[in-house]
């Protein structure tokens, strides 16, 4: 069964550093998403991406965050200057069309120290 | 998006049917009901969705009341691997746009031997 692949599985970074989280969505999917989950809390929507542009974003997704689909297969989330509160599990997801369910990746655990 | 109400937790014996209820009394005509689950520390997993008809797939059945104000997810023969948090999410969806999912607190289902 097709999978959404996320790398790395765990990343540790120093506060203030830039991080890039990478995702390879399912190949025939058109919609791409990032969610995060702070330990012990609920899964939160960050951003959706379609046709090479952001289609929706949450209040969490401020100027420190950006997304890109640089080469038609990868989908990346960049955090420009990490803060301690950015420590969370970050999930990438993709879907074929808006109506269908998403397929989520297994996540990247980001730890900011 | 319509608000949903789910029990905080439920137990089910292995091999029995697990029936997970969800109330969404403010649902509007163009909103779908989606069910996802999250097994500990993994990415959320799509289960099933429906608009007004009952739906069944290889994982579960979704029963939506005629007035659409509530629904029930049925896992017909629960296994230990079905222990997870189950999320009922109501959202407008259409073919031409992605959508943000609002994961609430969900129902924590424990399947016991």
């Amino acid at each position: 069964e097709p999978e959404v692949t996320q790398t790395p599985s765990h990343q540790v970074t120093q506060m203030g550093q830039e991080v890039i989280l990478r995702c390879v969505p399912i190949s025939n999917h058109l919609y791409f998403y990032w969610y995060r989950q702070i330990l012990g809390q609920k899964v939160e929507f960050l951003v959706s991406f379609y046709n090479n542009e952001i289609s929706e974003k949450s209040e969490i997704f401020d100027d420190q965050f950006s997304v890109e689909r640089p080469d038609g297969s990868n989908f990346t989330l960049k955090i420009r200057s990490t803060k301690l509160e950015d420590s969370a599990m970050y999930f990438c997801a993709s879907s074929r069309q808006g109506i269908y369910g998403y397929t989520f990746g297994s996540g990247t655990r980001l730890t900011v120290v | 998006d319509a608000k949903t109400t789910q029990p905080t937790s439920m137990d089910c014996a292995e091999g029995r049917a697990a029936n997970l209820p969800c109330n969404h009394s403010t649902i509007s005509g163009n909103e779908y009901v989606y069910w996802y689950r999250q097994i500990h520390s993994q990415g959320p997993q799509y289960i099933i969705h429906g608009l007004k008809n009952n739906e069944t797939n290889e994982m579960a059945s979704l029963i939506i009341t005629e007035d659409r104000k509530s629904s029930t997810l049925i896992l017909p023969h629960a296994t230990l691997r079905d222990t997870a948090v189950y999320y009922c999410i109501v959202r407008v969806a259409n073919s031409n746009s992605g959508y943000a999912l609002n994961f609430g607190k969900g129902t924590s289902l424990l399947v016991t031997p």
Side-chain angles (χ1 to χ4, degrees):
Chain A
E1 188 165 327
E3 289 183 343
V4 172
T5 306
Q6 290 188 244
T7 55
S9 56
H10 190 187
Q11 178 148 4
V12 181
T13 189
Q14 291 211 324
M15 192 168 55
Q17 294 295 305
E18 175 183 285
V19 294
I20 297 176
L21 308 183
R22 301 180 193 279
C23 169
V24 178
I26 292 173
S27 61
N28 64 347
H29 284 187
L30 302 176
Y31 300 87
F32 314 110
Y33 315 87
W34 283 100
Y35 282 75
R36 80 171 185 191
Q37 186 173 32
I38 295 170
L39 187 64
Q41 298 187 23
K42 66 177 187 175
V43 178
E44 300 175 292
F45 169 74
L46 293 178
V47 65
S48 61
F49 192 86
Y50 169 70
N51 202 24
N52 282 321
E53 62 183 22
I54 291 173
S55 49
E56 190 175 357
K57 62 181 180 179
S58 72
E59 290 178 356
I60 302 168
F61 193 88
D62 61 20
D63 291 343
Q64 291 298 310
F65 291 88
S66 62
V67 289
E68 194 177 35
R69 189 155 160 79
D71 56 11
S73 63
N74 291 285
F75 180 51
T76 61
L77 174 69
K78 183 194 293 187
I79 309 174
R80 256 179 272 286
S81 176
T82 50
K83 309 184 194 64
L84 295 176
E85 53 265 37
D86 293 327
S87 294
M89 195 76 153
Y90 287 80
F91 295 108
C92 173
S94 67
S95 66
R96 195 170 55 186
Q97 283 185 332
I99 286 179
Y100 296 105
Y102 297 179
T103 302
F104 281 81
S106 53
T108 292
R109 179 166 297 285
L110 177 66
T111 303
V112 182
V113 297
Chain B
D1 299 337
K3 182 183 159 113
T4 61
T5 305
Q6 299 178 252
T8 303
S9 63
M10 294 181 65
D11 291 348
C12 177
E14 191 178 17
R16 305 298 293 267
N19 297 283
L20 292 95
C22 179
N23 283 319
H24 31 80
S25 58
T26 60
I27 194 170
S28 59
N30 60 350
E31 288 182 312
Y32 286 73
V33 179
Y34 291 83
W35 283 84
Y36 284 78
R37 71 181 182 184
Q38 186 176 27
I39 297 169
H40 181 63
S41 295
Q42 297 182 22
Q45 179 186 24
Y46 164 76
I47 302 172
I48 199 166
H49 74 279
L51 183 61
K52 49 187 175 183
N53 297 324
N54 298 336
E55 303 287 345
T56 295
N57 63 20
E58 66 279 2
M59 288 182 69
S61 295
L62 174 60
I63 308 298
I64 303 174
T65 57
E66 195 168 337
D67 63 8
R68 304 211 320 127
K69 293 185 177 182
S70 66
S71 60
T72 301
L73 178 75
I74 301 172
L75 308 178
H77 305 287
T79 72
L80 299 179
R81 286 192 301 272
D82 292 322
T83 292
V85 179
Y86 287 77
Y87 300 97
C88 169
I89 300 168
V90 171
R91 185 62 164 92
V92 173
N94 62 64
S95 299
N96 300 319
S97 64
Y99 54 90
L101 295 173
N102 180 11
F103 288 87
K105 295 183 180 177
T107 296
S108 179
L109 175 69
L110 176 64
V111 181
T112 56

